[in-house]
Amino acid sequence: MTSETETAAPAYSRVLLKISGEALMGDQGFGLHPPTVQRIAEEVAAVQRMGVEVCLVIGGGNIFRGLQGSAQGMERTTADYMGMLATVMNALAMQGALEALGLHTRVISAIPMDQVCEPYIRRRAVRHLEKKRIVIFAAGTGNPYFTTDTAAALRANEMACKAILMGKNGTDGVYDKDPRIHPDAVRYDRVTYDEVLSKHLKVMDASAIALARENRLPIIVFSLDAPGGFKAILQGQGTYTRVEG
């Protein structure tokens, strides 16, 4: 007998999944942890096989973070470009894991590097999604001073995604304070864009939140730690926080 969870229609036809670079490093503390990359690829594959069109933005903090480089005396623009290149490395790793599962993917970079990925052309990226390919956007927006959060909000709007899903490691939503430090932290089921900004809640940076608010794009924050969590969220199951107007 098929369970209700297995048969439930997905809530959205096209989504963008934002993953931090740190989510790919497992317990190593740095770099890529192949079993973790594989596990996340399986989560994405399960959703794609539901018929959902999926695109991804992956951070680069497991390899290099521009703000940290800048804080240590590196020129900010150079540091940010180095961070963008780190996201390309993560995107290629995820592409390899997804294609090992038999899925068709495209890595599309905001910084042209034709030997390893496609340059960003909006219409081409949309067409890849329509052909049921998983699109992985790399190199942020291609500009310094913008985070991968902002890149995620930008690409989600350009691709006409129905929601941004923020896959977190170590937390299953948005809390009033860090639950890893404060046992009495309270999780929000729903919160508005304005509350995220006014209360300085850790969802996305202010530019990304403002862009999502302007275009009424919901943000769903959930945990990537639980197996099947990504698929469950799209079926209305699981624990998460919904950010909307």
Side-chain angles (χ1 to χ4, degrees):
M1 181 179 295
T2 303
S3 71
E4 181 179 348
T5 301
E6 291 173 336
T7 59
Y12 304 106
S13 58
R14 180 182 294 175
V15 298
L16 185 142
L17 175 64
K18 168 63 169 63
I19 307 171
S20 69
E22 288 86 343
L24 303 184
M25 66 188 184
D27 296 328
Q28 295 181 147
F30 181 81
L32 288 160
H33 183 236
T36 299
V37 176
Q38 182 68 24
R39 179 182 62 78
I40 294 175
E42 290 170 357
E43 296 283 317
V44 175
V47 168
Q48 198 266 353
R49 288 169 178 151
M50 294 168 64
V52 178
E53 296 172 1
V54 182
C55 48
L56 290 82
V57 169
I58 306 174
N62 57 319
I63 299 172
F64 187 86
R65 185 178 292 277
L67 278 175
Q68 290 179 351
S70 178
Q72 294 172 8
M74 185 176 291
E75 196 271 325
R76 173 65 187 272
T77 300
T78 299
D80 280 355
Y81 277 120
M82 291 174 67
M84 290 180 224
L85 296 178
T87 72
V88 178
M89 296 172 67
N90 285 338
L92 293 173
M94 183 59 65
Q95 179 182 46
L98 288 166
E99 292 192 341
L101 297 173
L103 302 176
H104 298 289
T105 70
R106 291 292 187 275
V107 172
I108 298 180
S109 172
I111 298 175
M113 47 186 80
D114 295 344
Q115 289 182 308
V116 295
C117 50
E118 294 183 5
Y120 178 70
I121 300 172
R122 188 187 67 83
R123 288 180 179 272
R124 181 183 292 176
V126 170
R127 186 62 178 146
H128 287 320
L129 289 172
E130 292 171 347
K131 290 182 177 180
K132 308 305 179 183
R133 295 167 181 156
I134 296 173
V135 175
I136 308 170
F137 294 112
T141 66
N143 301 288
Y145 297 95
F146 290 92
T147 68
T148 50
D149 283 350
T150 303
L154 176 63
R155 298 296 184 232
N157 280 297
E158 290 178 309
M159 296 299 106
C161 292
K162 304 304 181 184
I164 298 174
L165 280 86
M166 296 286 293
K168 298 287 189 178
N169 55 318
T171 183
D172 57 0
V174 180
Y175 287 76
D176 61 346
K177 47 192 171 184
D178 192 337
R180 292 168 292 188
I181 300 174
H182 305 280
D184 60 340
V186 176
R187 184 181 58 80
Y188 297 96
D189 288 326
R190 291 179 182 268
V191 66
T192 68
Y193 306 114
D194 289 340
E195 286 174 325
V196 169
L197 294 172
S198 65
K199 296 179 180 179
H200 304 287
L201 301 177
K202 294 183 178 180
V203 179
M204 305 175 88
D205 66 50
S207 297
I209 293 294
L211 187 55
R213 177 181 60 185
E214 181 179 342
N215 293 279
R216 298 181 179 178
L217 183 66
I219 303 167
I220 298 172
V221 184
F222 72 105
S223 173
L224 267 178
D225 296 334
F230 185 21
K231 181 178 179 180
I233 293 300
L234 288 176
Q235 294 174 319
Q237 309 294 322
T239 302
Y240 57 89
T241 298
R242 184 181 177 89
V243 182
E244 56 189 353

